[in-house]
Amino acid sequence: VGRPAPLALPTPALIVSGSLHSRARAQVEAVLASNGAVRLMRLSADDAVGRARFGADAIRALAAGTSVVVVAPAPPEGEAIPS
């Protein structure tokens, strides 16, 4: 017998999803809606200042008890999802 999924994560979490599948995106959206999590955008590996800001923002949110969600960007509408 399975247990129902919790409505919120019990502690702050760093959630990283590279999936472009609609089910994974729906799960991420549910976490964002129910847990007060924040979404941080993944930056280019060439952007050192942006990466530092990203890290500082993630640390600040987690230290404040807020979960952080990092997801792969969605493909442009109408474009096929890479396999």
Side-chain angles (χ1 to χ4, degrees):
V1 175
R3 296 185 317 195
L7 296 178
L9 297 173
T11 61
L14 174 61
I15 302 162
V16 180
S17 175
S19 177
L20 298 175
H21 192 276
S22 60
R23 183 173 300 164
R25 290 199 174 278
Q27 290 169 335
V28 165
E29 292 303 323
V31 168
L32 287 165
S34 67
N35 193 40
V38 295
R39 180 191 320 254
L40 293 181
M41 300 307 293
R42 186 180 60 147
L43 301 168
S44 165
D46 297 332
D47 183 2
V49 172
R51 283 195 329 264
R53 186 177 314 121
F54 174 90
D57 289 348
I59 290 168
R60 189 171 26 261
L62 290 165
T66 302
S67 293
V68 174
V69 176
V70 182
V71 296
E77 191 162 329
E79 188 173 306
I81 294 176
S83 53

